[in-house]
Amino acid sequence: MFKAKAYSAASATSPLAIDSIQRRAASGRDVQIEILFCGICHSDLHTVRNEWSSVMPTTYPCVPGHEIVGRVSKVGSDVKNFNAGDIVGVGCLVDSDHDCPICNNNLEQFCSNASFTYNSPDKHGTAPVTYGGYSESIVVDERFVLKVPGNLDLAGVAPLLCAGITTYSPMRRWGDLKGKKVGIVGLGGLGHMGVKFARAFNGHVVVLTTSPGKQEDALRLGADEVIISTNPDEMKQHAGSFDFILDTISADHDVNAYLNMLCIDGNLTLVGAPEKPFPVSAFALLFGRKSISGSLIGGIKETQEMLDFCGEHNITSDVEVIPIQAANEAYERLLKSDVKYRFSIDMASLKAE
Ligand code: NAP
Ligand code: ZN
C-alpha cells in the first residue's frame, strides 16, 4: 500500500480539503495511474452532501471524482493491455464480478457486485470504501481502464468518462436519431455532451434551458433551436412534437411539462438524478402512448466505443480548467447552473499542497 494526496469531505456539511489516503500496491491485473485531470460531475456534489442518503448513503471521508484521465505509472505482472506511459481513462466503475449474465452482456453498471469509483465498499480492503479521482493517483483493474484516443485535449476528455457515456448510451439505445426531433433538457455537464452527440447522430437538436444566457452557447454547441423552458408560450409552440427527450436536470422539477412535449410513441429518458421522487401524470403518458425511462452511465465496452467515436469525430467536453483548491467554489457555481460546461480539475495543482 502507499499513501496518496487527495481532496476529501469529512461530513455532509464539510468542505473538500486536503487529505492523505491509502491506495493498494498494483498487483495482478492492476494498473496504477497518475491522475492528470478529473471532471466535476453533479453526482460528486450529490454524494459529498449525502443528498442520495435514501438510496446510496455516503461514507466519510468521501473522495469524489469519476471522470479521470491520467498516465499509467505502473502495471501489475498480469496486465495485458496497458504499459507504463499510456494515457488512459477511468469512469464511474472500477470493478464488478466479471462473469454474471449481466457482465457477460456488457452491462457491468447493473451488476449486483459492481464497485463504483467512489463510495462503494472496497473489495480489496484498502479502505472502507473506494476513493475517487480528486487525488494524485488511483489503482484500477485493467478491465475497467479505457484507452484514450491520441488526438483529443485531455482536460476535455475527462468529462467523457461520465457525462459523455451517460448521454451517448441512451441515445444509441433509442435508435437512429437521424432527422428526429431530440430535446436536451438542462445545459450543464451532461446536457452539453447530449447536444454534441445528438448533433453527431444527425438529430434535429433542441435545447430546453432555464437560462436565457445560454442560448448562444447552445447554438454554438450544435443545437438547431433553443426553448426557454420558463416561457409557457415557447413551450406550448413545441407541444407534442419531440421524438426523444433526454432530461439531465439535477434538481426537483415538473417532468410532466416535458412529457407534454413528446409526440405519439415519444420517449423521455431521465439521466438526471434529483434527490426526491416526483409525480408523473398518467394522462401525460396515456394520451400519445408515451414512455418514460431511465439510464445509468454505460458498460465498459460501450464507454470505449464512445471514446473511439469522440476520437473519430473530434468531440470533447467544453471545460473550465480549475485547480483543486477551487473545487468548493465550483460546487457552489454548479448549484447556480453556472458552469460552461464542465469543471475539469488540473490535478498538477495538488502538488502544491
Ligand atoms: P450540471 O452540470 O449541474 O447541470 C444540470 C443542469 O440542469 C443545469 O445546468 C441547469 O441547466 C439545469 N437545472 C439545474 N437546476 C434546475 C432546476 N431547478 N430546474 C430546471 N433546470 C435545472 O449537472 P450534471 O453534472 O450535468 O448532472 C445532471 C444530473 O445528472 C445530476 O443529478 C447528476 O447526478 C446526474 N447524473 C446521472 C448519471 C446517470 O448515469 N444517470 C450520470 C451522471 C450524472 P439550464 O441552466 O440549462 O436550465
Ligand atoms: Zn458523473
Side-chain angles (χ1 to χ4, degrees):
M1 293 212 282
F2 65 97
K3 293 223 177 258
K5 286 184 194 174
Y7 256 50
S8 74
S11 77
T13 51
S14 310
L16 295 158
I18 184 72
D19 197 356
S20 175
I21 58 167
Q22 299 275 7
R23 296 288 192 195
R24 67 178 185 272
S27 66
R29 297 189 76 172
D30 287 339
V31 174
Q32 185 176 322
I33 300 160
E34 176 205 353
I35 300 176
L36 300 174
F37 293 97
C38 184
I40 294 185
C41 178
H42 207 114
S43 304
D44 301 350
L45 188 160
H46 289 306
T47 306
V48 160
R49 300 195 177 173
N50 205 12
E51 290 175 355
W52 291 336
S53 57
S54 58
V55 192
M56 291 183 279
T58 305
T59 300
Y60 296 95
C62 171
V63 179
H66 57 206
E67 296 186 334
I68 299 166
V69 163
R71 185 183 293 111
V72 174
S73 48
K74 261 185 203 162
V75 293
S77 51
D78 301 329
V79 168
K80 299 186 189 101
N81 298 313
F82 298 96
N83 294 301
D86 288 353
I87 298 295
V88 295
V90 176
C92 305
L93 292 163
V94 288
D95 211 345
S96 70
D97 66 9
H98 305 292
D99 56 9
C100 69
I102 295 170
C103 289
N104 288 334
N105 207 10
N106 298 304
L107 293 170
E108 299 88 350
Q109 73 272 35
F110 304 127
C111 170
S112 54
N113 285 314
S115 293
F116 292 94
T117 306
Y118 58 81
N119 201 42
S120 270
D122 184 345
K123 288 181 190 170
H124 300 268
T126 321
V129 290
T130 51
Y131 292 142
Y134 295 13
S135 174
E136 59 188 349
S137 63
I138 192 165
V139 179
V140 180
D141 184 301
E142 68 167 328
R143 287 166 284 188
F144 291 82
V145 178
L146 288 307
K147 293 186 190 287
V148 171
N151 57 320
L152 301 177
D153 167 64
L154 296 185
V157 166
L160 301 178
L161 277 305
C162 174
I165 183 61
T166 301
T167 50
Y168 179 93
S169 179
M171 287 197 241
R172 278 296 199 216
R173 184 170 157 72
W174 187 85
D176 187 1
L177 289 180
K178 191 169 178 199
K180 301 293 181 188
K181 188 164 172 180
V182 180
I184 305 291
V185 184
L187 195 65
L190 264 55
H192 92 291
M193 289 313 307
V195 171
K196 291 188 184 207
F197 287 129
R199 153 80 24 206
F201 300 152
N202 297 308
H204 179 85
V205 188
V206 184
V207 166
L208 297 101
T209 177
T210 59
S211 307
K214 293 182 183 172
Q215 204 152 356
E216 251 175 57
D217 282 345
L219 298 171
R220 174 182 57 79
L221 290 163
D224 296 289
E225 295 180 70
V226 181
I227 298 173
I228 306 302
S229 53
T230 49
N231 180 331
D233 291 337
E234 284 189 43
M235 292 288 274
K236 218 181 264 171
Q237 273 172 30
H238 290 261
S241 67
F242 283 85
D243 296 285
F244 176 78
I245 294 177
L246 191 69
D247 181 344
T248 78
I249 297 177
S250 51
D252 294 341
H253 61 288
D254 178 18
V255 76
N256 300 294
Y258 302 104
L259 292 174
N260 287 334
M261 315 287 282
L262 292 171
C263 66
I264 293 172
D265 286 332
N267 168 262
L268 180 143
T269 296
L270 286 173
V271 285
E275 183 183 355
K276 297 192 195 101
F278 47 71
V280 174
S281 154
F283 291 98
L285 296 173
L286 301 181
F287 282 89
R289 209 165 51 186
K290 300 168 185 178
S291 63
I292 181 167
S293 46
S295 190
L296 181 75
I297 48 173
I300 295 300
K301 183 169 178 238
E302 194 176 38
T303 305
Q304 188 62 62
E305 176 194 307
M306 178 275 310
L307 284 170
D308 295 343
F309 182 89
C310 288
E312 277 158 38
H313 295 262
N314 230 341
I315 293 174
T316 52
S317 174
D318 281 31
V319 289
E320 181 175 337
V321 177
I322 58 164
I324 188 126
Q325 292 79 5
N328 291 303
E329 187 191 331
Y331 278 21
E332 294 310 313
R333 286 181 55 194
L334 273 190
L335 289 173
K336 294 183 200 139
S337 301
D338 174 24
V339 51
K340 293 189 171 170
Y341 279 89
R342 197 58 142 186
F343 295 110
S344 184
I345 305 169
D346 180 351
M347 216 46 77
S349 58
L350 199 48
K351 292 193 192 352
E353 300 268 350

PDB file of all heavy atoms in Angstrom, residues 31 73 101 118 136 175 202 209 211-212 214 230 244 266 279 293 304 312 318 326 337 348:
ATOM      1  N   VAL A  31      -3.673  -1.604 -12.680  1.00  0.00           N
ATOM      2  CA  VAL A  31      -2.962  -0.525 -13.360  1.00  0.00           C
ATOM      3  C   VAL A  31      -2.910   0.657 -12.394  1.00  0.00           C
ATOM      4  O   VAL A  31      -3.943   1.068 -11.863  1.00  0.00           O
ATOM      5  CB  VAL A  31      -3.733  -0.126 -14.648  1.00  0.00           C
ATOM      6  CG1 VAL A  31      -3.112   1.092 -15.298  1.00  0.00           C
ATOM      7  CG2 VAL A  31      -3.778  -1.294 -15.626  1.00  0.00           C
ATOM      8  N   SER A  73       1.424   4.674 -14.500  1.00  0.00           N
ATOM      9  CA  SER A  73       2.756   4.777 -13.882  1.00  0.00           C
ATOM     10  C   SER A  73       3.327   3.395 -13.557  1.00  0.00           C
ATOM     11  O   SER A  73       4.553   3.233 -13.495  1.00  0.00           O
ATOM     12  CB  SER A  73       2.701   5.651 -12.629  1.00  0.00           C
ATOM     13  OG  SER A  73       1.647   5.272 -11.798  1.00  0.00           O
ATOM     14  N   PRO A 101     -24.400 -13.093 -15.872  1.00  0.00           N
ATOM     15  CA  PRO A 101     -25.041 -12.819 -17.165  1.00  0.00           C
ATOM     16  C   PRO A 101     -25.066 -11.327 -17.498  1.00  0.00           C
ATOM     17  O   PRO A 101     -24.952 -10.944 -18.669  1.00  0.00           O
ATOM     18  CB  PRO A 101     -26.469 -13.355 -16.959  1.00  0.00           C
ATOM     19  CG  PRO A 101     -26.369 -14.337 -15.845  1.00  0.00           C
ATOM     20  CD  PRO A 101     -25.248 -13.891 -14.971  1.00  0.00           C
ATOM     21  N   TYR A 118     -16.141   5.703  -6.440  1.00  0.00           N
ATOM     22  CA  TYR A 118     -16.069   6.187  -5.051  1.00  0.00           C
ATOM     23  C   TYR A 118     -17.338   5.793  -4.314  1.00  0.00           C
ATOM     24  O   TYR A 118     -18.371   5.524  -4.930  1.00  0.00           O
ATOM     25  CB  TYR A 118     -15.830   7.709  -4.993  1.00  0.00           C
ATOM     26  CG  TYR A 118     -16.850   8.590  -5.700  1.00  0.00           C
ATOM     27  CD1 TYR A 118     -18.064   8.925  -5.108  1.00  0.00           C
ATOM     28  CD2 TYR A 118     -16.572   9.112  -6.959  1.00  0.00           C
ATOM     29  CE1 TYR A 118     -18.978   9.748  -5.744  1.00  0.00           C
ATOM     30  CE2 TYR A 118     -17.485   9.948  -7.604  1.00  0.00           C
ATOM     31  CZ  TYR A 118     -18.683  10.256  -6.984  1.00  0.00           C
ATOM     32  OH  TYR A 118     -19.596  11.067  -7.617  1.00  0.00           O
ATOM     33  N   GLU A 136      -4.047  12.306  -6.474  1.00  0.00           N
ATOM     34  CA  GLU A 136      -2.905  12.289  -7.403  1.00  0.00           C
ATOM     35  C   GLU A 136      -2.795  10.956  -8.137  1.00  0.00           C
ATOM     36  O   GLU A 136      -2.150  10.882  -9.183  1.00  0.00           O
ATOM     37  CB  GLU A 136      -1.607  12.624  -6.667  1.00  0.00           C
ATOM     38  CG  GLU A 136      -1.272  11.682  -5.530  1.00  0.00           C
ATOM     39  CD  GLU A 136      -0.077  12.176  -4.698  1.00  0.00           C
ATOM     40  OE1 GLU A 136       0.609  13.114  -5.119  1.00  0.00           O
ATOM     41  OE2 GLU A 136       0.146  11.593  -3.621  1.00  0.00           O
ATOM     42  N   GLY A 175     -32.132   4.412 -30.748  1.00  0.00           N
ATOM     43  CA  GLY A 175     -32.176   4.060 -32.181  1.00  0.00           C
ATOM     44  C   GLY A 175     -31.578   5.162 -33.032  1.00  0.00           C
ATOM     45  O   GLY A 175     -30.834   6.005 -32.534  1.00  0.00           O
ATOM     46  N   ASN A 202     -26.940  13.303 -36.121  1.00  0.00           N
ATOM     47  CA  ASN A 202     -27.785  13.944 -37.144  1.00  0.00           C
ATOM     48  C   ASN A 202     -29.240  14.134 -36.744  1.00  0.00           C
ATOM     49  O   ASN A 202     -30.141  14.111 -37.583  1.00  0.00           O
ATOM     50  CB  ASN A 202     -27.711  13.170 -38.472  1.00  0.00           C
ATOM     51  CG  ASN A 202     -26.309  13.187 -39.038  1.00  0.00           C
ATOM     52  OD1 ASN A 202     -25.715  14.242 -39.177  1.00  0.00           O
ATOM     53  ND2 ASN A 202     -25.762  12.007 -39.322  1.00  0.00           N
ATOM     54  N   THR A 209     -33.808  25.054 -21.839  1.00  0.00           N
ATOM     55  CA  THR A 209     -32.993  25.576 -20.742  1.00  0.00           C
ATOM     56  C   THR A 209     -33.768  26.582 -19.912  1.00  0.00           C
ATOM     57  O   THR A 209     -34.660  27.264 -20.430  1.00  0.00           O
ATOM     58  CB  THR A 209     -31.704  26.227 -21.301  1.00  0.00           C
ATOM     59  OG1 THR A 209     -30.941  26.789 -20.238  1.00  0.00           O
ATOM     60  CG2 THR A 209     -31.995  27.327 -22.312  1.00  0.00           C
ATOM     61  N   SER A 211     -31.982  28.911 -18.523  1.00  0.00           N
ATOM     62  CA  SER A 211     -31.012  30.020 -18.512  1.00  0.00           C
ATOM     63  C   SER A 211     -30.956  30.719 -19.872  1.00  0.00           C
ATOM     64  O   SER A 211     -30.253  30.252 -20.780  1.00  0.00           O
ATOM     65  CB  SER A 211     -29.620  29.489 -18.184  1.00  0.00           C
ATOM     66  OG  SER A 211     -29.630  28.731 -17.004  1.00  0.00           O
ATOM     67  N   PRO A 212     -31.671  31.859 -20.020  1.00  0.00           N
ATOM     68  CA  PRO A 212     -31.652  32.569 -21.317  1.00  0.00           C
ATOM     69  C   PRO A 212     -30.229  32.898 -21.763  1.00  0.00           C
ATOM     70  O   PRO A 212     -29.931  32.916 -22.956  1.00  0.00           O
ATOM     71  CB  PRO A 212     -32.455  33.848 -21.024  1.00  0.00           C
ATOM     72  CG  PRO A 212     -33.281  33.533 -19.821  1.00  0.00           C
ATOM     73  CD  PRO A 212     -32.529  32.523 -19.019  1.00  0.00           C
ATOM     74  N   LYS A 214     -27.730  31.114 -21.878  1.00  0.00           N
ATOM     75  CA  LYS A 214     -27.014  30.007 -22.516  1.00  0.00           C
ATOM     76  C   LYS A 214     -27.427  29.787 -23.974  1.00  0.00           C
ATOM     77  O   LYS A 214     -26.939  28.866 -24.640  1.00  0.00           O
ATOM     78  CB  LYS A 214     -27.247  28.708 -21.726  1.00  0.00           C
ATOM     79  CG  LYS A 214     -26.615  28.714 -20.327  1.00  0.00           C
ATOM     80  CD  LYS A 214     -26.841  27.391 -19.597  1.00  0.00           C
ATOM     81  CE  LYS A 214     -26.293  27.416 -18.191  1.00  0.00           C
ATOM     82  NZ  LYS A 214     -26.669  26.204 -17.415  1.00  0.00           N
ATOM     83  N   THR A 230     -38.885  28.273 -19.107  1.00  0.00           N
ATOM     84  CA  THR A 230     -39.722  29.026 -18.166  1.00  0.00           C
ATOM     85  C   THR A 230     -40.737  29.911 -18.904  1.00  0.00           C
ATOM     86  O   THR A 230     -41.543  30.577 -18.270  1.00  0.00           O
ATOM     87  CB  THR A 230     -38.825  29.925 -17.280  1.00  0.00           C
ATOM     88  OG1 THR A 230     -37.925  30.635 -18.144  1.00  0.00           O
ATOM     89  CG2 THR A 230     -38.030  29.102 -16.274  1.00  0.00           C
ATOM     90  N   PHE A 244     -37.775  12.256 -28.945  1.00  0.00           N
ATOM     91  CA  PHE A 244     -36.952  11.775 -27.825  1.00  0.00           C
ATOM     92  C   PHE A 244     -36.487  12.979 -27.021  1.00  0.00           C
ATOM     93  O   PHE A 244     -36.046  13.980 -27.593  1.00  0.00           O
ATOM     94  CB  PHE A 244     -35.745  11.006 -28.383  1.00  0.00           C
ATOM     95  CG  PHE A 244     -34.762  10.542 -27.342  1.00  0.00           C
ATOM     96  CD1 PHE A 244     -35.036   9.422 -26.568  1.00  0.00           C
ATOM     97  CD2 PHE A 244     -33.559  11.214 -27.133  1.00  0.00           C
ATOM     98  CE1 PHE A 244     -34.130   8.984 -25.606  1.00  0.00           C
ATOM     99  CE2 PHE A 244     -32.646  10.780 -26.173  1.00  0.00           C
ATOM    100  CZ  PHE A 244     -32.932   9.656 -25.415  1.00  0.00           C
ATOM    101  N   GLY A 266     -43.453   8.885 -28.309  1.00  0.00           N
ATOM    102  CA  GLY A 266     -42.200   9.532 -27.901  1.00  0.00           C
ATOM    103  C   GLY A 266     -41.716   9.004 -26.554  1.00  0.00           C
ATOM    104  O   GLY A 266     -42.483   8.468 -25.751  1.00  0.00           O
ATOM    105  N   PRO A 279     -44.043  13.383  -8.970  1.00  0.00           N
ATOM    106  CA  PRO A 279     -45.275  12.840  -9.547  1.00  0.00           C
ATOM    107  C   PRO A 279     -45.225  12.813 -11.079  1.00  0.00           C
ATOM    108  O   PRO A 279     -44.679  13.725 -11.693  1.00  0.00           O
ATOM    109  CB  PRO A 279     -46.356  13.813  -9.075  1.00  0.00           C
ATOM    110  CG  PRO A 279     -45.650  15.043  -8.636  1.00  0.00           C
ATOM    111  CD  PRO A 279     -44.210  14.741  -8.426  1.00  0.00           C
ATOM    112  N   SER A 293     -38.339   6.623 -19.202  1.00  0.00           N
ATOM    113  CA  SER A 293     -37.388   5.599 -18.763  1.00  0.00           C
ATOM    114  C   SER A 293     -36.155   6.268 -18.176  1.00  0.00           C
ATOM    115  O   SER A 293     -36.063   7.493 -18.141  1.00  0.00           O
ATOM    116  CB  SER A 293     -37.019   4.675 -19.928  1.00  0.00           C
ATOM    117  OG  SER A 293     -36.727   5.414 -21.075  1.00  0.00           O
ATOM    118  N   GLN A 304     -15.805   2.483 -24.140  1.00  0.00           N
ATOM    119  CA  GLN A 304     -14.677   2.519 -25.089  1.00  0.00           C
ATOM    120  C   GLN A 304     -15.171   2.917 -26.486  1.00  0.00           C
ATOM    121  O   GLN A 304     -14.526   3.709 -27.180  1.00  0.00           O
ATOM    122  CB  GLN A 304     -13.976   1.148 -25.132  1.00  0.00           C
ATOM    123  CG  GLN A 304     -12.685   1.160 -25.944  1.00  0.00           C
ATOM    124  CD  GLN A 304     -11.639   2.107 -25.340  1.00  0.00           C
ATOM    125  OE1 GLN A 304     -11.200   1.913 -24.223  1.00  0.00           O
ATOM    126  NE2 GLN A 304     -11.244   3.146 -26.082  1.00  0.00           N
ATOM    127  N   GLU A 312     -12.849   9.868 -33.386  1.00  0.00           N
ATOM    128  CA  GLU A 312     -13.143   9.985 -34.826  1.00  0.00           C
ATOM    129  C   GLU A 312     -13.816  11.305 -35.177  1.00  0.00           C
ATOM    130  O   GLU A 312     -13.603  11.866 -36.243  1.00  0.00           O
ATOM    131  CB  GLU A 312     -14.087   8.858 -35.267  1.00  0.00           C
ATOM    132  CG  GLU A 312     -13.395   7.540 -35.575  1.00  0.00           C
ATOM    133  CD  GLU A 312     -14.387   6.382 -35.479  1.00  0.00           C
ATOM    134  OE1 GLU A 312     -15.553   6.552 -35.891  1.00  0.00           O
ATOM    135  OE2 GLU A 312     -13.979   5.315 -34.953  1.00  0.00           O
ATOM    136  N   ASP A 318     -16.574  20.898 -23.329  1.00  0.00           N
ATOM    137  CA  ASP A 318     -16.125  22.288 -23.159  1.00  0.00           C
ATOM    138  C   ASP A 318     -15.846  22.474 -21.674  1.00  0.00           C
ATOM    139  O   ASP A 318     -16.773  22.382 -20.858  1.00  0.00           O
ATOM    140  CB  ASP A 318     -17.229  23.268 -23.584  1.00  0.00           C
ATOM    141  CG  ASP A 318     -17.305  23.408 -25.095  1.00  0.00           C
ATOM    142  OD1 ASP A 318     -16.999  22.418 -25.793  1.00  0.00           O
ATOM    143  OD2 ASP A 318     -17.664  24.505 -25.565  1.00  0.00           O
ATOM    144  N   ALA A 326     -10.010  25.193  -6.004  1.00  0.00           N
ATOM    145  CA  ALA A 326     -11.250  25.902  -6.360  1.00  0.00           C
ATOM    146  C   ALA A 326     -12.465  24.969  -6.401  1.00  0.00           C
ATOM    147  O   ALA A 326     -13.554  25.368  -6.829  1.00  0.00           O
ATOM    148  CB  ALA A 326     -11.084  26.587  -7.714  1.00  0.00           C
ATOM    149  N   SER A 337     -26.278  26.711 -11.622  1.00  0.00           N
ATOM    150  CA  SER A 337     -26.261  26.405 -13.068  1.00  0.00           C
ATOM    151  C   SER A 337     -25.222  27.255 -13.783  1.00  0.00           C
ATOM    152  O   SER A 337     -25.376  27.597 -14.955  1.00  0.00           O
ATOM    153  CB  SER A 337     -27.645  26.613 -13.702  1.00  0.00           C
ATOM    154  OG  SER A 337     -28.592  25.798 -13.076  1.00  0.00           O
ATOM    155  N   ALA A 348      -2.341  18.639 -11.364  1.00  0.00           N
ATOM    156  CA  ALA A 348      -0.998  19.125 -11.010  1.00  0.00           C
ATOM    157  C   ALA A 348      -1.096  20.093  -9.833  1.00  0.00           C
ATOM    158  O   ALA A 348      -0.142  20.246  -9.061  1.00  0.00           O
ATOM    159  CB  ALA A 348      -0.352  19.796 -12.216  1.00  0.00           C
TER     160      ALA A 348
END
